[in-house]
């Protein structure tokens, strides 16, 4: 009995009932185990008074479909063998299960019979169901199960705002209603707790709940006809979803006499900083935010990304050993979002750089910060291939309803059209493409929930948009790339100015689910920096390609140029290959390097004073992009020789050695002193990436007129803001990108 109770407490489960059919026994199903989403888990069966598992022998997607539909989900996505969701306890009720997919319950599928199995719990099967629920599905509790281990199962949950609050965005307060059997029902608040409110708020993207004025809701409830749900809810507060909460006691439905000592449950949620009403904008400007200890990187949408933590002034990642939905929810709430939708493992949001600060994280769910959870500081054996990530619930802001893509070949591309008020009515119109670029496309794709930007288009004549939306409603758009919506970017407002007009010159975008992420190795730069004095007559090719400062134009051929040389090793840590935008027909042949350059401006090399001004005329280096080396097991795909295809494969890096032409900064005219060496890759944002903050690298440099020392090299975003304040421009990579 103790072990059974323990299982009920530990097992985050989903529930359904199968009625006896054609003499088959009545069973009940739930999903348990070490889950990362509420719609997946180990298949557990209640039969003959106890819970047990199902063996993976002969299990199939058809059997998974039967399980998922029996649990109220539309379909099965996949199934998992070998106890992927952890080993269960108790009996292994079913083995060698054969389903056609048409059965109404798992009990109708052929098997060895209940309790007949030669399996171990290391063979427990699990399923991943689709997130969509079966409309009108009625969940019935099998009375034989009693109250043990049963969880809330309803089609939907909503916060129903009062009439006066319905126009507020986001909706943070209202009656809690659940949809069961196709009908919306209220929950009696007699046994409702703050922990229940915390869970529902988390589902809707809010980090916490707060007290509210109950009086208007009491008055409203007296006037309304009520339709109560037949159960109470019992949440502990650290569940990521209401379906993870235990089903409470059954409520006797007596019409108007139901819940006589109470009223329909009401909740009031606290929105995170990014979603708070605009009245708080003054406070955001007046007070500088404290340095956060946790952040997300590499995600396309707000509320998702690789988890990084700050330790001793340096940002590092979290190893995915034991990473679960509870730890992910702590991260989400800490950052002002709701509970976690998904706990991601295996570097699914790209690989970070630097140290792995946390391993084997274990959270109770009530911690204010991930740094308060138990964890192992020893990360031996963890690599960035195991970086943990999250997807959080965020409030419904209605952003996607004010923007659309029109005329594209698929939903991920098209002409950008915005909804704006003109002459007292809302109309659709196009966006002027003047100054339209990658950063603007990043915001559009984010606002529409379509992932990362792939390309920004300044001509869209090949996409036939809605003719009624041809007029230009937005111009002068300039985005930093961090905005949630296009109208948060700088633009001309109602004073539209677009000399070339809309139509064929309207702005367009294409979006993608994955993106590359280039990172320059700071260590390689630091280790390979040195000075070389070289006669000008040996630098003729480099001189023609503008790799020397302008004073070389008037210098004697026999004079010497002092060159600060270093190697560049640029790795692709993202989830898709880095490919140049230009087609091979437009690539430029470079005599110095004896190959074609696919990007005319791929890097900026500069020497800066301590206040951030240029002291050496840096140059814009062009590259031929190829895979010089790759991580073990990854095949090279790109090479420059013989007019080959160019790019950098995920997990590979392109190395430009210190001893080739133009791999330098000409410091002939620089006086002795302390400086910054700065390298920026993809400076014009010509190719979209998942993270641009790590495209800049700076080193402290001391030059005494004869020798040079380079030290403290680091990538943008890898150090705390206090440290990076001493490196101008490093925090935001604020460079001209037009």
């Amino acid at each position: 009995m103790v072990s059974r109770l323990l299982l009920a407490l530990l097992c985050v489960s989903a529930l359904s009932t199968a009625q006896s059919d054609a003499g088959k026994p009545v069973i009940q199903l739930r999903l348990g185990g070490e889950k990362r989403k509420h719609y997946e888990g180990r298949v557990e069966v209640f039969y003959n008074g106890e819970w047990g598992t199902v063996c993976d022998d002969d299990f199939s997607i058809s059997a998974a479909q039967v399980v998922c539909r029996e649990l109220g989900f539309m379909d099965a996505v996949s199934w998992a063998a070998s106890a992927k969701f952890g080993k269960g306890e108790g009996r292994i009720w079913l083995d060698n299960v054969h389903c056609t997919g048409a059965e109404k319950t798992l009990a109708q599928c052929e098997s060895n019979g209940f309790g007949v199995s030669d399996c171990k719990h290391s063979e427990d099967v699990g399923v991943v169901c689709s997130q969509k629920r079966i409309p009108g599905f009625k969940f019935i509790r099998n009375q034989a199960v009693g109250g043990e281990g049963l969880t809330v199962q309803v089609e939907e949950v909503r916060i129903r705002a009062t009439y006066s609050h319905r126009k507020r965005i986001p909706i943070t307060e209202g009656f809690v209603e659940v949809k069961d059997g196709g009908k919306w029902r209220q929950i009696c608040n007699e046994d409702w707790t703050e922990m229940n409110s915390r869970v529902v708020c988390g589902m809707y993207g809010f980090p916490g709940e707060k007290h509210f004025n109950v009086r208007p809701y009491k008055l409203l409830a007296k006037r309304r006809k009520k339709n109560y749900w037949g159960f109470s809810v019992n949440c502990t507060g650290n569940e990521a979803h209401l379906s993870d909460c235990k089903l409470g006691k059954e409520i006797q439905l007596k019409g108007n006499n139901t819940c006589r000592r109470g009223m329909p449950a009401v909740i009031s949620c606290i929105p995170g900083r990014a979603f708070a009403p605009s009245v708080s904008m003054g406070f955001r400007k007046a007070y500088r935010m404290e340095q956060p200890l946790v952040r997300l990187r590499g995600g396309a949408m707000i509320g998702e990304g690789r988890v990084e933590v700050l330790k001793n002034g340096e940002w590092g990642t979290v190893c995915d050993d034991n990473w679960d939905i509870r730890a992910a929810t702590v991260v989400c709430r800490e950052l002002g979002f709701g509970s976690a939708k998904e706990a991601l493992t295996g570097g699914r949001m790209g690989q970070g750089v630097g140290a792995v600060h946390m391993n084997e994280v274990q959270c109770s769910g009530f911690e204010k910060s991930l740094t308060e959870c138990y964890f192992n500081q020893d990360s031996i054996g963890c690599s960035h291939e195991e970086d943990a990530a999250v997807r959080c619930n965020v409030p419904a802001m209605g952003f996607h309803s004010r923007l659309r893509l029109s005329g594209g070949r698929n939903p991920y591309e098209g002409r950008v059209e915005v909804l704006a008020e003109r002459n007292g009515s809302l109309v659709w119109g196009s966006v002027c493409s003047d100054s339209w670029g990658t950063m603007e496309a990043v915001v559009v794709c984010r606002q529409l929930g379509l992932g990362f930007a792939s390309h920004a288009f300044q001509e869209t004549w090949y996409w036939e948009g809605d003719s009624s939306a041809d007029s230009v409603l937005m111009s002068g758009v300039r985005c930093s790339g961090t905005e949630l919506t296009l109208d948060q970017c700088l633009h001309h407002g109602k004073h539209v100015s677009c000399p070339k007009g809309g139509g064929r010159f309207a702005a367009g975008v294409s979006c993608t689910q994955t993106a590359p992420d280039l990172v320059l190795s700071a260590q390689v730069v630091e280790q390979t920096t040195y000075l070389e004095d070289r006669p000008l007559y040996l630098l003729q090719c480099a001189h023609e390609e503008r790799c020397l400062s302008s004073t070389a134009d008037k210098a004697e051929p026999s004079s010497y140029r002092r060159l600060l040389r270093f190697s560049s090793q640029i790795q692709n840590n993202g989830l898709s290959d880095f490919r140049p935008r230009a087609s091979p027909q437009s690539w430029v042949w470079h005599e110095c390097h004896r190959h074609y350059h696919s990007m005319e401006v791929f890097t900026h090399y500069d020497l800066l004073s301590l206040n951030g001004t240029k002291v050496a005329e840096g140059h814009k280096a062009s590259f031929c992009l190829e895979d010089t080396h790759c991580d073990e097991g990854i095949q090279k795909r790109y090479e420059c020789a013989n007019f080959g295809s160019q790019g950098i494969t995920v997990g590979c890096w392109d190395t430009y050695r210190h001893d080739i032409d133009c791999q330098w900064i000409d410091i002939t005219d620089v006086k002795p002193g302390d400086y910054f060496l700065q390298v920026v890759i993809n400076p014009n944002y010509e190719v979209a990436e998942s993270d641009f903050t790590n495209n800049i690298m700076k080193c402290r440099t001391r030059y005494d007129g004869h020798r040079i020392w380079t030290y403290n090299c680091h990538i943008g975003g890898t150090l705390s803001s206090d440290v990076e304040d001493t490196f101008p421009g490093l925090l935001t990579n604020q460079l001209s990108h037009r």
Side-chain angles (χ1 to χ4, degrees), residues 62-97:
S62 297
Q65 288 168 343
V66 173
V67 168
C68 290
R69 284 199 296 268
E70 192 170 351
L71 288 165
F73 298 100
M74 289 283 284
D75 203 358
V77 175
S78 62
W79 63 278
S82 305
K84 177 185 175 181
F85 298 101
K87 297 179 183 180
E89 297 179 5
R91 303 279 296 273
I92 297 177
W93 278 127
L94 294 172
D95 188 9
N96 297 112
V97 177

Side-chain angles (χ1 to χ4, degrees), residues 223-300:
R223 296 199 302 266
R224 277 186 179 170
K225 182 180 178 182
K226 293 173 282 294
N227 183 18
Y228 282 105
W229 191 47
F231 300 93
S232 61
V233 177
N234 185 15
C235 301
T236 64
N238 59 17
E239 295 89 351
H241 196 276
L242 194 69
S243 65
D244 295 328
C245 296
K246 294 291 187 292
L247 201 63
K249 68 180 183 182
E250 190 168 358
I251 294 173
Q252 296 298 318
L253 300 178
K254 303 175 183 176
N256 290 336
N257 292 322
T258 306
C259 194
R260 282 189 67 83
R261 296 198 307 268
M263 58 175 275
V266 177
I267 63 170
S268 183
C269 306
I270 304 171
R273 186 182 184 86
F275 307 100
S278 57
V279 289
S280 66
M281 282 300 290
F283 291 99
R284 293 186 206 177
K285 293 176 182 177
Y287 299 102
R288 180 176 176 179
M289 285 183 64
E290 290 183 12
Q291 172 72 60
L293 298 177
V294 178
R295 69 182 184 185
L296 301 181
R297 281 288 186 269

Side-chain angles (χ1 to χ4, degrees), residues 357-642:
H357 284 333
M358 300 177 79
N359 185 23
E360 298 175 351
V361 177
Q362 290 181 316
C363 302
S364 70
F366 291 100
E367 294 86 355
K368 296 292 184 185
S369 171
L370 185 71
T371 57
E372 296 176 9
C373 298
Y374 167 82
F375 65 95
N376 186 353
Q377 296 189 37
D378 183 2
S379 57
I380 295 174
C382 285
S383 68
H384 286 299
E385 294 177 357
E386 301 170 85
D387 284 346
V390 298
R391 282 197 178 100
C392 306
N393 287 311
V394 296
M397 302 295 289
F399 290 152
H400 62 280
S401 62
R402 306 202 295 267
L403 192 73
R404 70 186 184 190
L405 300 184
S406 181
R409 297 163 297 179
N410 58 61
Y412 288 85
E413 67 176 22
R415 185 175 80 175
V416 178
E417 295 177 357
V418 294
L419 187 64
E421 186 178 335
R422 290 293 184 271
N423 301 321
S425 59
L426 290 173
V427 294
W428 287 98
S430 59
V431 178
C432 184
S433 64
D434 284 349
S435 78
W436 187 260
T438 298
M439 285 305 183
E440 290 70 42
V442 165
V443 176
V444 168
C445 294
R446 177 185 297 127
Q447 183 174 348
L448 292 173
L450 297 178
F452 299 100
S454 179
H455 290 97
F457 299 95
Q458 294 191 344
E459 288 190 33
T460 51
W461 54 268
Y462 35 79
W463 287 330
E464 189 175 348
D466 189 333
S467 59
S468 64
D470 279 345
S471 59
V472 176
L473 296 183
M474 199 176 203
S475 64
V477 183
R478 295 289 295 269
C479 302
S480 69
T482 60
E483 297 88 351
L484 300 183
T485 64
L486 198 63
D487 57 12
Q488 290 177 359
C489 301
L490 292 173
H491 58 91
H492 291 154
K494 293 183 179 180
H495 306 287
V496 174
S497 173
C498 189
K500 62 184 181 182
R504 65 173 292 169
F505 295 109
V509 301
S510 62
C511 307
T512 179
Q513 290 297 298
T514 58
D517 182 21
L518 297 188
V519 180
L520 178 71
S521 172
Q523 183 181 9
V524 168
V525 172
E526 189 168 324
Q527 292 174 348
T528 58
T529 306
Y530 66 98
L531 294 180
E532 181 191 21
D533 289 340
R534 197 168 178 83
L536 183 58
Y537 64 81
L538 292 179
L539 298 172
Q540 184 178 354
C541 182
H543 193 186
E544 291 174 0
E545 293 197 13
R546 315 304 301 170
C547 295
L548 302 175
S549 64
S550 57
T551 57
D553 296 341
K554 299 178 181 178
E556 292 295 323
S558 59
S559 64
Y560 279 75
R561 308 303 297 179
R562 177 156 289 180
L563 308 175
L564 171 58
R565 285 186 174 272
F566 52 88
S567 295
S568 294
Q569 179 180 298
I570 300 165
Q571 182 157 1
N572 184 359
N573 284 352
L575 297 175
S576 65
D577 294 354
F578 185 94
R579 299 294 308 277
R581 274 186 65 184
S583 62
Q585 292 77 18
S586 61
W587 293 354
V588 178
W589 174 259
H590 278 248
E591 192 63 32
C592 286
H593 296 159
R594 304 293 299 170
H595 56 221
Y596 286 94
H597 285 185
S598 56
M599 291 180 69
E600 196 53 40
V601 180
F602 181 64
T603 56
H604 283 177
Y605 298 153
D606 289 299
L607 196 67
L608 311 175
S609 68
L610 296 186
N611 66 7
T613 57
K614 291 183 182 181
V615 294
E617 291 183 32
H619 66 280
K620 300 174 180 180
S622 54
F623 271 49
C624 168
L625 302 174
E626 68 175 1
D627 297 327
T628 310
H629 299 286
C630 296
D631 289 334
E632 186 177 350
I634 297 177
Q635 191 76 27
K636 294 181 182 179
R637 298 181 60 185
Y638 305 106
E639 61 177 349
C640 295
N642 303 319

Side-chain angles (χ1 to χ4, degrees), residues 145-276:
V145 182
E148 181 190 323
L150 303 189
T151 54
V152 174
Q153 282 297 295
V154 290
E155 290 176 60
E156 291 181 61
V157 183
R158 74 179 180 185
I159 302 173
R160 186 183 181 189
T162 60
Y163 183 77
S164 60
H165 287 182
R166 282 178 192 168
K167 291 186 178 180
R168 293 188 180 180
I169 297 176
I171 292 175
T172 59
E173 187 175 298
F175 292 102
V176 180
E177 295 188 341
V178 296
K179 195 175 187 181
D180 188 22
K183 294 182 179 179
W184 286 104
R185 305 174 191 275
Q186 300 85 40
I187 299 176
C188 177
N189 75 342
E190 288 179 4
D191 296 312
W192 189 262
T193 66
E194 286 187 5
M195 294 297 101
N196 296 348
S197 297
R198 172 180 163 89
V199 171
V200 176
C201 287
M203 286 173 57
Y204 276 87
F206 304 113
E209 75 292 337
K210 63 182 176 68
H211 295 291
F212 57 93
N213 182 5
V214 73
R215 188 179 175 190
Y217 290 99
K218 278 186 176 179
L219 294 173
L220 197 58
K222 285 181 180 178
R223 296 199 302 266
R224 277 186 179 170
K225 182 180 178 182
K226 293 173 282 294
N227 183 18
Y228 282 105
W229 191 47
F231 300 93
S232 61
V233 177
N234 185 15
C235 301
T236 64
N238 59 17
E239 295 89 351
H241 196 276
L242 194 69
S243 65
D244 295 328
C245 296
K246 294 291 187 292
L247 201 63
K249 68 180 183 182
E250 190 168 358
I251 294 173
Q252 296 298 318
L253 300 178
K254 303 175 183 176
N256 290 336
N257 292 322
T258 306
C259 194
R260 282 189 67 83
R261 296 198 307 268
M263 58 175 275
V266 177
I267 63 170
S268 183
C269 306
I270 304 171
R273 186 182 184 86
F275 307 100

Side-chain angles (χ1 to χ4, degrees), residues 662-722:
C662 296
Q663 191 59 35
W664 62 58
I665 297 176
D666 183 353
I667 65 167
T668 305
D669 308 307
V670 174
K671 297 177 181 179
D674 289 321
Y675 301 101
F676 290 120
L677 167 62
Q678 176 178 279
V679 179
V680 186
I681 52 180
N682 192 17
N684 296 341
Y685 312 117
E686 189 176 327
V687 177
E689 299 183 46
S690 61
D691 187 358
F692 287 106
T693 61
N694 56 18
N695 282 29
I696 185 169
M697 186 226 66
K698 285 201 175 186
C699 303
R700 297 297 294 263
T701 302
R702 174 163 291 180
Y703 175 50
D704 69 357
H706 306 283
R707 295 168 297 175
I708 199 158
W709 293 266
T710 305
Y711 57 99
N712 286 355
C713 294
H714 66 282
I715 304 298
T718 57
L719 301 181
S720 69
S721 59
D722 295 338

Side-chain angles (χ1 to χ4, degrees), residues 17 47 140 143 244 569 735:
T17 300
Y47 173 74
I140 306 169
Q143 297 299 320
D244 295 328
Q569 179 180 298
L735 301 161

